[in-house]
Amino acid sequence: MMNSPQQVKNPSSSLKSRFITRFLGALTKINAEHPISSSSPTRIFQRYRRIKVASNKSMAYSVRSRRIWSRAMLSRFRSRRSAFSVRRSSVKTTNCTTSPPSALIKVTINENKIAKGGLDMQTDELRELVPGGEAMDVCNLLGETAHYIKCLTTQVQVMRKIVDFYHLSK
Amino acid sequence: MSSQRATSSNKITDDELNALILRLQTVLPQLDQSRHGRVSAAKVLNEICSYIRRLQNEVDGLSGRLSQRLDSIDLTGFDAEIVKDLLQQ
């Protein structure tokens, strides 16, 4: 297909293609390093875990450090071996007109809790679901959520296609 | 929607909040605006959380399926064929 234009105008399709390349590469690696000679439950479970991590990692790497949630996820992967520590990476705000310095984020969140009551109970739940959500202000949280959902949808879409392509559905 | 005003200039305004919540509503297929119109922020956030959980569980399930039959996938010569197929919506 040398004649078709290679420019990808739609950024989300290049995100998708980056994810596909990475994820398929990771699957190849998992397949090669841990060949399925026996189908013991332990082996299958280990493989399932590796594939799941590969899927999330591939997406986070494809997004790179452009998003708070992807940075948080990548940071999580890197510090997995060492003792658990919460990294406070600087919070870049894209949607808000004002951005509290990262050191004051926790304080601002608590003040917002008191001021906004019920809404913050809902955002509490959201904070646990979105990587890095605990340290975000509400504005960032909602923006990051939209992007995170878009990426999760892409992950699911691609993984489903792989399963279908190889007729793996049972 | 909450009518509490931000007390300092450091806080998000109600309008900004509404805009972000509205944007999230468009992400949810089940709260299609043409059918539901305005929905409370609490409901949107509730649905958003359920949706994220559902997606994360799907990744989980699909990882499980891939783990079962990974050996039957011929990944060596995959490049052109699969990537093309996968990229087609």
Side-chain angles (χ1 to χ4, degrees):
Chain A
M1 300 289 137
M2 295 286 203
N3 298 331
S4 57
Q6 281 300 319
Q7 300 123 300
V8 180
K9 292 210 175 140
N10 183 0
S12 63
S13 68
S14 68
L15 170 71
K16 189 173 172 185
S17 68
R18 284 200 304 276
F19 169 72
I20 289 171
T21 309
R22 278 204 168 85
F23 185 54
L24 286 177
L27 284 181
T28 311
K29 215 172 159 198
I30 293 171
N31 209 8
E33 289 174 359
H34 312 276
I36 305 172
S37 43
S38 70
S39 54
S40 74
T42 319
R43 279 266 174 257
I44 293 178
F45 182 76
Q46 283 174 346
R47 236 174 7 246
Y48 142 74
R49 283 243 312 264
R50 285 197 182 98
I51 292 174
K52 186 172 154 185
V53 166
S55 176
N56 290 327
K57 235 179 180 176
S58 298
M59 183 51 81
Y61 272 113
S62 299
V63 174
R64 297 192 263 257
S65 53
R66 286 201 315 265
R67 286 279 163 175
I68 304 174
W69 75 260
S70 61
R71 288 200 295 272
M73 193 175 257
L74 292 173
S75 157
R76 213 186 276 174
F77 285 130
R78 284 187 198 120
S79 63
R80 241 173 42 176
R81 298 247 170 83
S82 57
F84 179 74
S85 61
V86 180
R87 299 247 199 109
R88 301 279 168 144
S89 49
S90 63
V91 178
K92 278 195 208 154
T93 59
T94 48
N95 297 331
C96 278
T97 49
T98 60
S99 56
S102 45
L104 295 178
I105 286 172
K106 268 285 187 225
V107 177
T108 311
I109 288 172
N110 288 330
E111 285 170 352
N112 273 332
K113 269 189 186 163
I114 295 166
K116 298 220 177 267
L119 189 66
D120 276 287
M121 277 164 46
Q122 294 287 343
T123 60
D124 277 354
E125 196 188 347
L126 191 56
R127 286 178 193 285
E128 288 173 29
L129 291 170
V130 177
E134 327 79 53
M136 295 180 203
D137 61 35
V138 173
C139 186
N140 276 321
L141 179 66
L142 298 180
E144 291 289 308
T145 298
H147 189 267
Y148 179 57
I149 287 179
K150 190 186 83 166
C151 294
L152 276 177
T153 311
T154 303
Q155 270 178 265
V156 167
Q157 196 183 59
V158 171
M159 288 173 87
R160 259 201 216 132
K161 285 208 158 196
I162 295 176
V163 168
D164 288 345
F165 187 83
Y166 288 103
H167 309 292
L168 293 178
S169 24
K170 278 210 155 189
Chain B
M1 285 292 295
S2 156
S3 58
Q4 289 156 331
R5 304 250 54 162
T7 49
S8 87
S9 58
N10 219 15
K11 311 266 178 62
I12 182 175
T13 65
D14 277 356
D15 285 341
E16 282 174 346
L17 196 60
N18 285 344
L20 289 169
I21 297 279
L22 217 59
R23 187 174 149 217
L24 280 178
Q25 189 181 341
T26 64
V27 162
L28 296 167
Q30 64 268 34
L31 287 184
D32 176 23
Q33 276 181 313
S34 60
R35 295 213 326 245
H36 288 80
R38 285 292 298 255
V39 174
S40 76
K43 183 158 174 76
V44 172
L45 288 176
N46 205 21
E47 292 290 325
I48 285 284
C49 288
S50 305
Y51 194 50
I52 292 179
R53 282 215 178 81
R54 202 152 60 232
L55 289 170
Q56 287 172 341
N57 285 337
E58 273 211 77
V59 170
D60 220 53
L62 289 164
S63 301
R65 282 211 278 195
L66 286 172
S67 72
Q68 301 274 344
R69 305 290 312 281
L70 193 62
D71 55 342
S72 63
I73 301 179
D74 173 26
L75 292 167
T76 51
F78 70 61
D79 294 327
E81 199 66 55
I82 302 180
V83 176
K84 244 189 293 177
D85 184 56
L86 287 173
L87 286 178
Q88 279 152 21
Q89 300 262 334

